[in-house]
Amino acid sequence: MSQPEAIISMKGVGKRFGKFEALKDIDLEIARGEVVVLLGPSGSGKSTLIRCINLLEEYDAGDVHVDGIRVEKGKKLQSVRQEVAMVFQAFNLFPNHTILDNVALGPVRVRKLSWKDARERARRLLDRVGIAEQAEKYPSQLSGGQQQRVGIARALAMEPRILLFDEPTSALDPEMVGEVLDVIKGLAGDGVTLVLVTHEMGFARQVADRIVFMEAGRIKEIAPPDDFFTATRNERARAFLDAVLNH
């Protein structure tokens, strides 16, 4: 993949927590509009990797660029973060705001939209994620799956070029997982760059352009999903798939 196409570029990225080396010499380029899914056992560095993309974690070595801008502390970081939105495991909604205003708040504060315009955008996005009728409720009145869909709408309200998902279904009851995955599937064809950490294997195989398999802080394999799931030559990836798919 040539450099001009890459909206995310990571070169030699390392990250330590004390003596623990969470990321080791990470090289990864992600193209505009690509859907990349990070897989691997717990503790392999997947969440740390995506948190380095918008500097929620400061990396200790190497370089991260988003749309040609180096991701580092300073005045350019805000412009990077305006292009990169993140959906977390926890919903992180403001309990004292309606669902509508949870989605509208970011564009008002960061993009300087009027409340009127931001609420119009919020209504469109709540409709898009299938919960328009919940707009005037408060987070405590919604199910976990509905709250996570609000989280996705809130991320989209910032009109990001890149969406990061860190285990977006891991806090949900099993019957609510599908509704959130359906919303993410709908985003996959929209031209927004998606980077996802998930344990949902069938979903990963369906939506990904490429699978990135990590173990012990390193990228062990990068492959198209069909190749990864049916013909991986990486011994650690095979063991991981055997453990997960035969669980």
Side-chain angles (χ1 to χ4, degrees):
M1 191 184 303
S2 64
Q3 179 63 32
E5 292 180 292
I7 194 167
I8 299 168
S9 176
M10 308 181 85
K11 302 263 190 213
V13 173
K15 170 66 183 174
R16 288 181 175 274
F17 296 99
K19 291 183 178 179
F20 175 67
E21 205 172 0
L23 295 178
K24 305 169 188 175
D25 201 26
I26 296 294
D27 288 335
L28 179 64
E29 291 198 346
I30 297 173
R32 295 177 195 281
E34 191 175 17
V35 180
V36 170
V37 175
L38 307 183
L39 297 179
S42 295
S44 58
K46 307 179 300 294
S47 292
T48 302
L49 186 154
I50 64 167
R51 291 170 72 90
C52 286
I53 292 172
N54 61 354
L55 215 66
L56 288 179
E57 292 288 358
E58 285 188 60
Y59 52 95
D60 303 315
D63 288 291
V64 179
H65 286 82
V66 169
D67 212 8
I69 300 172
R70 187 172 194 271
V71 180
E72 59 190 336
K73 280 189 172 177
K75 58 187 177 184
K76 289 185 177 178
L77 182 58
Q78 189 59 35
S79 63
V80 168
R81 286 184 169 165
Q82 286 186 19
E83 304 297 336
V84 182
M86 191 159 185
V87 178
F88 299 89
Q89 297 177 32
F91 316 125
N92 297 329
L93 302 179
F94 296 110
N96 57 332
H97 285 285
T98 64
I99 295 310
L100 186 70
D101 284 353
N102 262 278
V103 177
L105 195 58
V108 169
R109 286 189 177 169
V110 179
R111 300 285 194 192
K112 308 305 178 190
L113 260 65
S114 68
W115 273 107
K116 179 176 180 290
D117 289 345
R119 284 178 173 137
E120 283 178 9
R121 180 185 292 181
R123 285 189 192 281
R124 287 196 303 273
L125 290 168
L126 289 173
D127 184 53
R128 182 176 173 186
V129 300
I131 49 170
E133 73 284 356
Q134 311 293 344
E136 302 305 330
K137 291 184 179 178
Y138 288 84
S140 62
Q141 297 174 282
L142 271 58
S143 70
Q146 289 171 326
Q147 289 189 55
Q148 190 60 292
R149 284 191 275 169
V150 176
I152 294 169
R154 183 179 56 183
L156 290 171
M158 298 301 291
E159 298 188 328
R161 296 185 185 188
I162 299 164
L163 263 175
L164 309 176
F165 290 88
D166 187 8
E167 295 281 9
T169 60
S170 67
L172 300 179
D173 293 332
E175 65 269 21
M176 295 175 184
V177 169
E179 65 187 57
V180 172
L181 295 182
D182 284 344
V183 170
I184 299 172
K185 275 182 209 167
L187 303 176
D190 275 6
V192 179
T193 305
L194 304 183
V195 187
L196 303 103
V197 175
T198 184
H199 283 103
E200 301 291 335
M201 296 296 132
F203 170 73
R205 188 167 181 174
Q206 264 189 310
V207 302
D209 295 309
R210 287 187 299 161
I211 300 289
V212 174
F213 176 73
M214 296 184 67
E215 192 203 33
R218 294 186 186 275
I219 292 175
K220 297 290 189 179
E221 183 170 8
I222 301 176
D226 284 348
D227 291 355
F228 178 78
F229 282 99
T230 63
T232 179
R233 292 186 295 276
N234 184 282
E235 189 178 322
R236 293 301 304 139
R238 270 203 311 273
F240 169 77
L241 287 172
D242 286 345
V244 172
L245 297 176
N246 298 323
H247 181 63

